[in-house]
Amino acid sequence: MRRTVGLWLAAMVFAFGGPARRAVAQDQSNSGLTVVQLRPNFYVIAGAGGNIVVELGSEGVILVDSGSTESSDRVLAEIRRLTPLPIRYIINTSMEADHVGGNEKLAKAGLSILAGNIVAGAGLSEDLITNAGGASVLAHENVLTRMSAPTGRQPLFPLALWPTKTFAFRMYSMYLNGEGIQVIHQPAAHTDGDTIVFFRRGDVIATGDIIDTTRFPVIDVKRGGTIQGEIDALNRLMDLSIHNLPIQWHADRTLLVPGHGHVYDKLDLLEYRDAITIVRDRIQSLVTEGKSLDQVKAANPTLGYRSQYGADSGAWTTDMFVDVIYRELAAKQGKR
Amino acid sequence: MSRKTLSRARFAALIVAATASAAPVLAQIDLSGSWARRGQADNGYTREQIDLLGIPLSEDGRAKALSYNIASLSATERQCQMYPPFYALTGPFALQISGEQDPITQKLVAWKIAGWIDRDVTTIWMDGRPRPSEYALHSHGGFTSGEWEGDALTAVGIQFKLGDMKRHRAFSSDRATLTYRFNRHGDILTLTGILEDPVYLAEPYVLTDVFKLDPNANLLPLTACEPIEELPSLHQNPGLVPHYLPGKNPFVNEVTEHHNIPLEAVMGGPDTMYPEYRKKLKDKYVMPPPCSAGCGGPPAPPAR
């Protein structure tokens, strides 16, 4: 009886209790990952490193990015909760460890869309072409270049995480699950291997780390990133996105899934693009005035955006962001 | 009393106690109707672009406001942009509130504050539903849930979009939280809003407005919106972002020039919203001569 009363009480408190502050997100699962449904057949898995986009269709599962290596079992479990269909492609938006770390586990759990026996008959290596029967891992060639190393040198990432299919030019397109998919290379943005993945029918864009809603975008100069390329990429995303006009209270709009943080639409992107552009313009003005890096930092050119995107500690600080922009703009000025 | 009866009585008492302590009491007061605004905090007729007095801005909030160039409103994306819900307290129009019932049980599920031409609908969920994931898309209306505390409805809103908290002068971020308190006294409704924002505010911004039940209230419903090509420069160079560089905003001194209010007050900040701040300005403020034109009211009617 005591137990029954307890259960009743628990049920009543659960049924009637609680304003917004006490409520819990419904899509947080026991895995510690969060799964957010964007469209009937589109999901975001968050909390596994970088955000992972999951697109489902009759031909299987397409993933954009694979999260960190240590999260890959949990990511796979969440995908299996969504569908029993095989993973066909993993598209990597960059070479970051928290975007490519699950490549091996998730590709092996998938199934190649290519007919291995035919390519073997053509004299090609079956394992190479079909990723040993697993899902293909697609990325820009620069991602493979950065992850691998010339013969005899130690690569940054193990072979099992490398892309199995690469493209070298501005775009790679395919049609799967009734969906036109454009993998668009954005040269020299966050790195030199960034891609935007545009699902045309679903109107969902995976931006990779070109957008990180939790901080200023990381410009990884050592791996080919530039502030101008970053701004160009944000403007490219502006061109690809459509917001909900003329019926502005409707939900219809392009959805953008950033590399980290919450889902954006065009108006959110506009604020992010404006913030980065304004910081760049301020630093440009100071560079033109002949100010030194220390003087530029002292002028606090990120004021207005620092509490939103800045950080004083961690892997990517506001100082580092300012430093990178200053050096790029000062170098350009020096060339004039 | 038998042992079984006692046990049942205890059980019933426990249920009552548990629900009384944990559950919101549903829909005690009817808020529905058209509520005409008795005052207005955001004076649309003011001429000055920079007037941050009384807003508890953080350093970032002030810098963003001073960077703002109204030419940015000509971007096609911004022409139809909506205000966040806090504008219900500062904007010019009436509130139209309606209840939304569950179609089967007829229990109240939500209160809805209808949108204006440039402010989205605010839905105050009363059914205890969980908040959306922190990774979900934010909306202009945000996610708001409420509960009755005695005769007052208290609601907490989150996950808005970044937007103007007052007309083009100061902003609230997508991390802001807005707590509403609705008090109805007969035909009078008092609405208090407490805006907390870790990005653009240094302290909570609290505003109260009074509304009167009025079937002829000044409502301007949501309408479809088509942007036009306003500034050729923005279309010829879509990456151009109109803004003022630090220290270059040409409108900073307007309030001081027109009204003798010291610049330090015009720049806002937490101090400027407290009555004690007047003492600080006492020796610095000189009453300007009586205003003869552009005094903050509607245009004068044409002379006959």
Side-chain angles (χ1 to χ4, degrees), chain A residues 14-18, chain B residues 24 26 108-110 124-130 143 145-146:
Chain A
F14 179 76
F16 292 103
Chain B
L26 297 178
L108 185 89
V109 175
I124 302 171
W125 296 105
M126 301 296 291
D127 56 1
R129 68 183 54 201
F143 174 83
S145 61

Side-chain angles (χ1 to χ4, degrees), chain A residues 16 20 24 248 274 304 307-308, chain B residues 24 60 78 80 130 145 161 175:
Chain A
F16 292 103
V24 184
Q248 52 190 332
D274 283 7
S307 328
Q308 179 95 24
Chain B
D60 271 328
R78 292 209 187 274
C80 301
S145 61
K161 284 196 182 300
R175 295 192 209 162

Side-chain angles (χ1 to χ4, degrees), chain B residues 26-171:
Chain B
L26 297 178
Q28 290 184 336
I29 305 285
D30 185 11
L31 297 175
S32 56
S34 297
W35 298 90
R37 187 179 297 275
R38 301 295 295 274
Q40 194 211 327
D42 199 15
N43 188 345
Y45 296 105
T46 0
R47 291 183 299 172
E48 298 85 7
Q49 286 195 28
I50 300 294
D51 179 6
L52 307 173
L53 182 68
I55 306 175
L57 291 169
S58 65
E59 269 194 83
D60 271 328
R62 184 179 299 109
K64 185 163 170 65
L66 295 177
S67 162
Y68 178 79
N69 182 332
I70 203 161
S72 64
L73 268 189
S74 290
T76 49
E77 295 83 9
R78 292 209 187 274
Q79 288 175 34
C80 301
Q81 197 169 349
M82 290 175 156
Y83 288 92
F86 192 66
Y87 198 58
L89 282 143
T90 57
F93 300 114
L95 298 184
Q96 188 171 40
I97 304 178
S98 57
E100 187 173 289
Q101 275 78 26
D102 179 287
I104 307 298
T105 66
Q106 297 301 309
K107 279 185 180 171
L108 185 89
V109 175
W111 291 107
K112 288 207 166 188
I113 306 174
W116 296 332
I117 188 168
D118 52 7
R119 185 184 58 77
D120 204 358
V121 176
T122 298
T123 302
I124 302 171
W125 296 105
M126 301 296 291
D127 56 1
R129 68 183 54 201
R131 58 166 282 177
S133 161
E134 63 181 299
Y135 296 99
L137 180 71
H138 292 202
S139 63
H140 288 292
F143 174 83
T144 306
S145 61
E147 64 179 11
W148 289 98
E149 291 178 356
D151 287 343
L153 172 65
T154 299
V156 179
I158 54 171
Q159 293 186 317
F160 314 119
K161 284 196 182 300
L162 190 153
D164 306 38
M165 69 169 96
K166 296 188 84 178
R167 282 164 59 98
H168 323 313
R169 289 190 197 124
F171 300 85

Side-chain angles (χ1 to χ4, degrees), chain A residues 1 5 8-9 12-13 16-27 34 36 46-47 235 238 243 245-246 248-249 253 255 261-268 270-271 273-274 277-278 281-282 285 302-308, chain B residues 7 11 14-15 18-19 22-24 60 63-64 67 77-78 80-82 117 120 128-131 133-138 140 145 147 156 161-162 173-175 177 179 198-200 222-225 227 238-239 241 243 245-246:
Chain A
M1 178 64 189
V5 171
W8 262 95
L9 281 173
M12 296 298 280
V13 170
F16 292 103
R21 284 185 199 279
R22 276 181 268 152
V24 184
Q26 58 194 349
D27 37 17
T34 300
V36 179
N235 284 320
M238 288 289 293
H243 64 318
L245 291 180
Q248 52 190 332
W249 56 93
R253 67 193 72 181
L255 295 175
H262 70 81
V263 175
Y264 266 18
D265 64 12
K266 188 170 189 174
L267 291 175
D268 301 309
L270 178 71
E271 302 296 352
R273 189 279 309 256
D274 283 7
T277 305
I278 288 170
D281 289 353
R282 288 174 179 174
S285 162
T302 57
L303 194 62
Y305 307 99
R306 215 174 172 110
S307 328
Q308 179 95 24
Chain B
S7 173
F11 176 59
L14 279 169
I15 293 291
T19 52
D60 271 328
K64 185 163 170 65
S67 162
E77 295 83 9
R78 292 209 187 274
C80 301
Q81 197 169 349
M82 290 175 156
I117 188 168
D120 204 358
R129 68 183 54 201
R131 58 166 282 177
S133 161
E134 63 181 299
Y135 296 99
L137 180 71
H138 292 202
H140 288 292
S145 61
E147 64 179 11
V156 179
K161 284 196 182 300
L162 190 153
S173 80
D174 60 1
R175 295 192 209 162
T177 300
T179 303
V199 176
Y200 296 130
L222 276 170
T223 52
C225 178
V241 178
H243 65 94
L245 291 169

Side-chain angles (χ1 to χ4, degrees), chain A residues 33-38 41-56 61-79 82 87 89-93 97-103 106 197 199 204-209 257-261 263, chain B residues 135:
Chain A
L33 305 180
T34 300
V35 181
V36 179
Q37 186 169 18
L38 302 180
N41 62 327
F42 277 92
Y43 296 83
V44 178
I45 299 177
N51 286 334
I52 300 168
V53 175
V54 183
E55 194 260 349
L56 309 178
V61 179
I62 297 164
L63 300 178
V64 181
D65 289 327
S66 61
S68 62
T69 302
E70 56 271 23
S71 303
S72 51
D73 284 328
R74 290 182 293 144
V75 170
L76 185 57
E78 291 296 347
I79 294 167
L82 298 175
I87 299 166
Y89 278 93
I90 302 167
I91 305 169
N92 289 149
T93 58
D98 57 355
H99 290 258
V100 303
N103 282 358
L106 298 176
V197 184
F199 294 89
V204 171
I205 302 176
T207 74
D209 282 350
V257 181
H260 297 267
V263 175
Chain B
Y135 296 99

Side-chain angles (χ1 to χ4, degrees), chain B residues 212-270:
Chain B
K212 187 173 189 307
L213 196 61
D214 180 354
N216 299 313
N218 174 26
L219 298 167
L220 190 57
L222 276 170
T223 52
C225 178
E226 285 180 343
I228 56 172
E229 294 174 327
E230 284 188 346
L231 283 183
S233 58
L234 290 178
H235 297 280
Q236 287 153 0
N237 180 6
L240 183 70
V241 178
H243 65 94
Y244 293 115
L245 291 169
K248 304 286 185 192
N249 190 312
F251 304 106
V252 163
N253 293 312
E254 279 193 328
V255 170
T256 305
E257 287 163 5
H258 296 162
H259 308 290
N260 285 354
I261 296 173
L263 185 60
E264 64 171 89
V266 178
M267 291 295 101

